[in-house]
């Protein structure tokens, strides 16, 4: 396997050398110049006039109720051009954004949030109101997505005051509010108007300058009606689906920042520290193998013993070493390994046990194995990782055909339920959000897989106080996940990015794939609101 991995790496370097010219016709990024970021507009107060950022795919929707809302390129852009009650700062801390102040009742069940005064959307006319938060809850979050199951009511006390009632305490609630789901849009413009989402008004730091649904470019500019001064005047997002081409684009200067790069190639190609800042990262989430249990009763993987056998057959350390340079921490729990409450109930932990895998398979209708299609999104290292898994499964007679797919194809298969098993992954800025993705009633993977749901356990975890009490609930959650094994954790998600920009100007918040942009005053700092 190691020699094969080396050959694959050589092939990727060959691809890199052949990719010169893929971006011919794309103008070099104008904002960045090595370690410095030059401003060409003398009247601008921004630190940069224009930066170019590579996306893993085209932006297909800004509609927060669209099924594609959980696809990376859709939500990282949406969160910049729509308002948020809370937003993550550079360190990954949830800070008040449109909220001026908030209080929590003694029993932890009532959050009262007061909006900043005199807020307006990007048209400079439409006021941002508490009723917009109510509308957005009704539109975006009903039924409640992962992490919001405890919310029972959202009301506008007055034009400035939002009151959110919970059924159980949820200490991580501000982090949920800063996540990918709760964006604020005006009822007066969006209600009953599907075309609104092609050019929504913004209460966020940027507004749309240029975008046609499904085009390669998504261009945004600083929102003059945002409460803070944004340090980047304009961001040009460019869809560059091929990961090796993203490396080349950073090297050539056609892209200033790319978050998701093949680590080995990027480290070698972008090693000049005077020009590039390497940014390795670990997300708060795992790689998982997710099985389709919808209308598949006749398939081998419909049997939980088969799925558990496939889990025992995994060499999770080899998965990390060969596909991700050893940077993926092996995991046998839905909770990611660096979490303080990580807890694995799988017998044998992360150790490969081929004997146990064969023993389990022998008790099923497929004792000598079967064929299965292993699909995977086109992300750096992911297809290689799927190939490693396929080689491991072959040792128990399971023949997995690896299919690397563009996001649109993979998402369509998820929604339609036409996949067999997919190597995927989640990243959540709060733990229960990730848990609910796999076991919440409307969690994305619960729906796509047709797996068991238990919202009560998720809300019980949110309400638990302290590590000991949280792990009591977590043990029940992890036992449910293992017993069903519709979702098999493999290891904590990691990745690599590289930037030509000054540190702190535009990058991902710590341990998230959400973008942070420098602003004055900073999120979390004392604010002087606009009159």
């Amino acid at each position: 396997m190691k020699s094969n991995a080396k050959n694959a790496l050589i092939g990727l370097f060959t691809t890199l050398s052949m990719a010169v010219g893929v971006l011919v016709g794309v103008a070099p990024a104008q904002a960045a110049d090595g370690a410095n970021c030059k401003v060409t507009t003398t009247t601008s107060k921004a630190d940069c006039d224009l930066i170019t950022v590579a996306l893993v795919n085209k932006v297909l929707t800004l509609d927060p109720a669209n099924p594609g809302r959980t696809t990376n390129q859709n939500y990282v852009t949406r969160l910049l051009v729509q308002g948020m009650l809370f937003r993550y700062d550079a360190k990954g801390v949830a800070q008040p954004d449109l909220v001026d102040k908030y209080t929590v009742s003694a029993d932890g069940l009532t959050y009262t949030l007061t909006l900043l005064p005199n807020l307006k959307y990007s048209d400079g006319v439409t006021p941002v109101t508490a009723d917009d938060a109510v509308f957005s809850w009704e539109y975006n979050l009903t039924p409640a997505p992962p992490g919001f199951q405890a919310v029972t009511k959202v009301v506008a006390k007055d034009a400035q005051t939002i009151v959110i009632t919970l059924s159980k305490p949820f200490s991580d609630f501000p982090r949920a509010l800063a996540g990918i789901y709760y964006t604020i849009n005006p009822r007066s413009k969006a209600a009953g108007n599907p075309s609104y989402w092609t050019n929504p008004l913004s209460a966020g730091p940027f507004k749309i300058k240029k975008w046609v649904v499904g085009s390669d470019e998504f261009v945004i500019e600083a929102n003059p009606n945002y409460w803070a001064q944004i340090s980047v005047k304009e961001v040009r997002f460019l869809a560059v689906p091929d990961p090796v081409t993203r490396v080349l684009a950073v090297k050539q200067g056609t892209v200033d920042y790319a978050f998701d790069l093949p680590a080995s190639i990027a480290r070698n190609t972008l090693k000049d520290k005077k020009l590039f800042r390497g940014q390795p990262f670990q997300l708060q989430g795992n790689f998982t193998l997710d099985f389709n249990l919808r209308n598949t009763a006749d398939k081998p993987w419909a049997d939980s013993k088969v799925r558990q056998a496939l889990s025992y057959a995994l060499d999770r350390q080899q998965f990390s070493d060969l596909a991700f340079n050893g940077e993926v921490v092996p995991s046998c729990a839905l909770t990611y390994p660096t979490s303080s409450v990580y807890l694995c109930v799988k017998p044998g932990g992360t150790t490969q046990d081929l004997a146990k895998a064969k023993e389990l398979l022998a008790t099923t209708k497929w004792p000598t194995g079967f064929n299965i299609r292993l699909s995977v999104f086109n992300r750096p290292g992911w297809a290689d990782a799927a190939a490693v898994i396929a080689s491991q499964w072959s040792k128990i007679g399971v023949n997995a055909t690896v299919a690397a797919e563009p996001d649109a194809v993979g998402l369509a298969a998820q929604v339609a339920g036409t996949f067999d098993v997919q190597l995927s992954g989640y990243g959540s800025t709060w733990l229960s959000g990730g848990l609910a993705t796999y076991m919440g009633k409307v969690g994305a993977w619960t729906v796509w897989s047709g797996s068991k749901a238990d919202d009560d356990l998720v809300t019980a975890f949110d309400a638990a106080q302290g590590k000991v009490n949280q792990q009591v609930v977590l043990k029940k959650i992890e036992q449910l996940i293992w017993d069903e094994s519709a979702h098999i954790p493999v290891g904590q998600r990691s990745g690599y990015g590289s930037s030509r920009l000054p540190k702190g100007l535009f990058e991902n918040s710590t341990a998230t794939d959400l973008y942070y942009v420098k602003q004055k005053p900073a999120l979390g700092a004392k604010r002087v609101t606009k009159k």
Side-chain angles (χ1 to χ4, degrees), residues 296-323:
T296 57
D298 60 330
K299 303 295 185 181
W301 54 90
D303 188 331
S304 62
K305 290 182 180 179
V306 169
R307 300 192 297 271
Q308 288 181 346
L310 292 172
S311 181
Y312 279 118
L314 295 176
D315 184 334
R316 290 165 168 84
Q317 188 61 57
Q318 186 185 63
F319 170 94
S320 173
D321 291 341
L322 295 184

Side-chain angles (χ1 to χ4, degrees), residues 456-487:
D456 290 342
L457 277 177
V458 177
T459 54
F461 175 80
D462 286 334
Q465 301 297 308
K467 180 177 179 177
V468 173
N469 292 329
Q470 287 180 327
Q471 285 196 317
V472 169
V473 181
L474 198 56
K475 186 174 183 180
K476 296 177 182 178
I477 289 174
E478 296 293 357
Q479 192 65 54
L480 184 154
I481 295 297
W482 165 247
D483 288 345
E484 186 178 33
S485 287
H487 312 287

Side-chain angles (χ1 to χ4, degrees), residues 35 65 125 130 135 149 164 171 202 210 238 256 266 272 333 372 411 447 511:
V125 176
F135 161 73
Q149 287 85 353
I164 303 177
S171 57
S202 176
K210 176 185 176 184
L238 183 65
D256 298 318
D272 186 344
I372 190 169
L411 177 62
V447 173

